[in-house]
């Protein structure tokens, strides 16, 4: 067999499924660029060449924050790539099954998966590094502005950051290859071929999971509202409880809610509600985990932006307090350290918020593609038995509004109950301006809502095109 057969076949598959692969590769490229950018800002000797930092004050704190950021970004990239790659493998199972029936053995399928992963990794790494090199020049200037620190002229490339980026990408894509190989080897050719047509049993109401979820959420909200901040452990425990409760309520609670609404005959037996609820209850158990992740990411974005922006824009109040209590020389050093720390934290929050928003958009996009492919045949049947396109569109819009709004509304509720604890933490850092904190948090919520709704609109269009209801 020609040595280039599998590489050509892999490239052909990627080009043919570009509607699926293009957003995935774009996200890989962007996240690789961000990993390189943060690694560059954390490790570049040019930034920290004079004592503890440029001009002798402040930038040691910047280095610490950027080092934390690069590891957070690397771990998040691993989790996110696994989530999105699972959709790609699921879409490819039928094709791989057909190849297996036509004579390809497991070794050949493994070779094909290897080349697909290798090409994805190569594109991600080369384009990501190129974008990262451009990004560092811009981000360094933005970081310098927020941190009130003069940075020197930067080199075009940092080999330490390149090495970190290459090792991170290689490790992630190696794990993705192992996961794809494991999934292909565990199932037969017939089950691969029938993977798209396998039905799912409609899940039942799960009050045994809903009640613990409500209990965890109530306990977390109680800690956030009533407990004094004596240690960060309280905040950590509340965060873990909220995450667990969010997963339980989105996975089990959403199904239970749909089942409860189906029990109301007057509500359920209306054309738009009947179609929307029938589809939702059929898939909500699987979609619930993804919606819970989107809710958690949205909450993280709002908390990060609200708290770091509050610290940064309230810096002058804290600096004036410090200046009244210290000598002029010590106050100047404290001011430099304060702006370096919280300016770099605000910069990192903006970077991570952008990445988390991109991840949420891509998760919504793949969710709509997955459900669109599965719902297309069902909507065709509905039209043949008498439902008009207008009726189906009304039902689709009702379903999509519920799916999109649940994570956003839950994130706002999480943020509202977390705000008292966040405020107590910010006061420990010297910030006393509550109206400022509430104002920047409200601005963050408004901007995020606009971007989130725009992303939902774009991804819902993908669903409508697949089921034949949109342009």
């Amino acid at each position: 067999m020609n040595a280039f057969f599998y590489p050509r076949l892999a490239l052909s598959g990627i080009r043919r499924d570009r509607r699926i692969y293009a957003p995935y590769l774009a996200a890989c490229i962007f996240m690789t660029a961000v990993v390189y950018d943060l690694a560059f800002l954390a490790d570049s000797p040019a930034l920290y060449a004079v004592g503890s930092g440029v001009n002798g004050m402040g930038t040691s704190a910047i280095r610490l924050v950027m080092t934390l950021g690069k590891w957070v970004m690397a771990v998040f990239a691993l989790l996110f790539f696994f989530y999105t790659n699972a959709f790609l493998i699921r879409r490819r199972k039928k094709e791989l099954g057909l190849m297996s029936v036509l004579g390809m053995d497991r070794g050949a399928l493994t070779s094909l998966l290897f080349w697909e992963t290798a090409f994805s990794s190569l594109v991600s790494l080369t384009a990501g590094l190129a974008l990262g090199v451009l990004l560092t020049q811009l981000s360094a200037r933005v970081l310098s502005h927020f941190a009130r620190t003069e940075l020197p002229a930067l080199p075009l490339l940092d080999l330490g950051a390149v090495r970190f980026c290459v090792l991170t990408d290689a490790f992630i894509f190696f794990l993705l290859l192992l996961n794809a190989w494991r999934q292909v080897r565990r199932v037969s050719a017939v089950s691969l071929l029938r993977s798209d047509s396998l039905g799912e049993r409609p899940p039942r109401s799960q009050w045994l999971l809903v009640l613990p979820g409500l209990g965890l959420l109530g306990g977390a909200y109680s800690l956030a509202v009533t407990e004094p901040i004596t240690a960060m452990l309280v905040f950590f425990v509340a965060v873990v409880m909220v995450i667990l409760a969010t997963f339980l309520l989105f996975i089990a609670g959403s199904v239970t809610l749909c089942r409860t609404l189906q029990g109301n005959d007057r509500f359920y037996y209306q054309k738009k509600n009947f179609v929307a609820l029938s589809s939702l209850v059929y898939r909500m158990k699987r979609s619930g985990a993804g919606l819970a992740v989107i809710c958690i990411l949205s909450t993280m974005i709002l908390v990060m932006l609200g708290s770091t922006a509050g610290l940064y824009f309230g810096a002058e109040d804290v600096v004036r307090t410090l200046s009244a209590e210290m000598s002029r020389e010590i106050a100047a050093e404290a001011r430099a350290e304060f702006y370096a720390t919280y300016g770099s934290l605000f910069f990192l929050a903006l970077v991570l918020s952008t990445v988390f928003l991109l991840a949420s958009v891509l998760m919504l996009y793949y969710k709509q593609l997955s459900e669109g492919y599965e719902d297309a045949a069902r909507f065709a049947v509905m039209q043949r038995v008498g439902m008009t396109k207008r009726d189906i569109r009304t039902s689709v819009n009702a379903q999509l509004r519920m799916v999109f709004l649940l994570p956003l509304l839950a994130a706002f509720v999480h943020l509202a109950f977390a705000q008292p604890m966040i405020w107590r933490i910010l006061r420990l850092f010297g910030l006393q301006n509550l109206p400022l904190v509430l104002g920047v948090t409200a601005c963050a919520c408004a901007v995020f809502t606009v971007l989130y709704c725009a992303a939902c609109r774009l991804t819902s269009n993908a669903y409508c095109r697949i089921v034949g209801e949109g342009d």
Side-chain angles (χ1 to χ4, degrees):
M1 184 178 292
N2 192 314
F4 296 102
F5 174 75
Y6 292 118
R8 284 202 303 268
L9 191 61
L11 283 175
S12 175
I14 292 174
R15 284 196 298 267
R16 183 177 60 255
D17 294 330
R18 57 184 175 273
R19 187 184 206 177
I20 297 173
Y21 271 98
Y24 172 71
L25 291 176
C28 290
I29 290 169
F30 180 72
M31 290 198 179
T32 300
V34 174
V35 169
Y36 172 81
D37 183 38
L38 294 177
F40 180 94
L41 295 176
D43 300 331
S44 177
L47 291 175
Y48 313 103
V50 183
S52 64
V54 177
N55 296 330
M57 290 189 297
T59 53
S60 58
I62 301 176
R63 185 171 197 169
L64 178 63
V65 173
M66 293 302 107
T67 300
L68 173 65
K70 80 173 184 180
W71 286 108
V72 169
M73 189 61 224
V75 172
F76 180 76
L78 171 64
L79 298 176
F80 176 72
F81 288 170
F82 258 85
Y83 182 92
T84 52
N85 187 258
F87 172 80
L88 299 180
I89 295 298
R90 186 162 179 258
R91 289 299 308 162
R92 293 295 311 283
K93 278 185 178 180
K94 185 174 182 179
E95 181 182 342
L96 295 174
L98 179 60
M99 293 178 180
S100 180
V101 169
L102 293 176
M104 272 195 178
D105 58 19
R106 298 299 171 87
L109 294 178
T110 301
S111 297
L112 178 62
L113 291 173
F114 167 80
W115 283 107
E116 288 182 357
T117 305
F119 285 134
S120 299
S121 177
L122 183 63
V123 170
S124 171
L125 188 59
T126 54
L129 284 176
L131 179 61
V133 168
L134 299 176
L135 196 61
T136 54
Q137 304 302 313
L138 172 64
S139 60
R141 286 170 173 77
V142 175
L143 175 60
S144 174
H145 171 75
F146 286 141
R148 307 287 179 92
T149 302
E150 292 295 329
L151 298 180
L154 299 176
L156 190 62
L157 199 67
D158 180 71
L159 294 181
V162 172
R163 182 169 56 252
F164 180 83
C165 200
V166 169
L167 291 176
T168 300
D169 263 33
F171 178 71
I172 291 175
F173 281 98
F174 175 70
L175 292 181
L176 292 179
L177 177 61
L178 287 181
N179 183 56
W181 175 80
R182 177 187 61 85
Q183 293 190 53
V184 170
R185 291 189 67 87
R186 283 178 56 186
V187 292
S188 65
V190 175
S191 36
L192 283 172
L193 190 60
R194 298 176 57 201
S195 60
D196 277 355
S197 59
L198 292 176
E200 297 178 62
R201 294 181 179 178
R204 300 177 179 178
S205 298
Q206 302 179 49
W207 287 105
L208 291 179
L209 295 179
V210 174
L211 295 178
L214 292 173
L216 283 171
L217 193 62
Y221 286 169
S222 177
L223 284 176
V225 172
T226 62
E227 287 294 318
I229 297 298
T230 56
M232 292 301 292
L233 179 62
V234 175
F235 184 75
F236 176 76
V237 170
V239 168
V240 172
M241 291 172 67
V242 166
I243 292 174
L244 292 176
T246 300
F247 273 97
L248 287 175
L249 292 177
F250 269 93
I251 293 173
S254 56
V255 173
T256 304
L257 175 62
C258 290
R259 281 301 192 189
T260 303
L261 292 176
Q262 283 185 316
N264 186 333
D265 292 346
R266 293 182 60 186
F267 177 84
Y268 181 51
Y269 289 107
Q270 298 180 26
K271 285 188 293 187
K272 65 176 183 179
N273 296 335
F274 180 83
V275 177
L277 280 175
S278 297
S279 180
L280 280 173
V281 74
Y282 192 72
R283 287 188 177 80
M284 211 55 185
K285 184 176 182 180
R286 188 181 65 219
S287 301
L291 295 177
V293 172
I294 293 172
C295 173
I296 292 168
L297 290 177
S298 301
T299 306
M300 291 172 63
I301 291 172
L302 297 175
V303 170
M304 283 192 305
L305 288 180
S307 56
T308 57
L311 282 171
Y312 181 74
F313 291 109
E316 287 302 327
D317 293 341
V318 180
V319 168
R320 279 194 293 269
T321 302
L322 292 174
S323 300
E325 298 174 354
M326 302 177 181
S327 68
R328 180 175 299 180
E329 181 179 352
I330 297 176
E333 293 180 359
R335 187 177 192 275
E337 189 71 24
F338 187 92
Y339 272 110
T341 302
Y342 299 115
S344 57
L345 279 174
F346 184 41
F347 168 81
L348 182 60
L350 290 174
V351 172
L352 293 181
S353 297
T354 302
V355 172
F356 291 167
L357 180 60
L358 173 66
S360 299
V361 171
L362 197 59
M363 290 168 67
L364 287 170
Y365 176 77
Y366 281 135
K367 181 181 179 300
Q368 296 310 312
L369 284 185
S370 178
E371 295 185 356
Y373 286 125
E374 295 170 359
D375 287 346
R378 181 160 51 250
F379 281 119
V381 171
M382 290 177 182
Q383 292 184 59
R384 286 198 293 269
V385 298
M387 289 195 73
T388 65
K389 287 189 175 183
R390 182 176 182 180
D391 292 335
I392 294 177
R393 172 172 283 280
T394 302
S395 299
V396 167
N397 289 336
Q399 175 184 344
L400 294 180
R401 279 196 298 269
M402 180 178 179
V403 169
F404 288 145
L405 289 179
L406 275 178
L408 184 63
L409 293 177
F412 286 155
V413 174
H414 290 344
L415 178 66
F417 279 95
Q419 202 62 43
M421 181 176 285
I422 294 171
W423 170 239
R424 290 195 292 270
I425 292 175
L426 294 180
R427 290 183 64 186
L428 296 178
F429 292 97
L431 186 61
Q432 303 295 326
N433 194 338
L434 179 59
L436 172 66
V437 174
L438 295 179
V440 296
T441 301
C443 290
C445 290
V447 172
F448 180 77
T449 300
V450 171
L451 295 176
Y452 182 86
C453 291
C456 292
R457 177 71 176 176
L458 291 174
T459 57
S460 64
N461 287 341
Y463 177 91
C464 291
R465 282 194 296 270
I466 292 171
V467 299
E469 292 301 312
D471 299 328

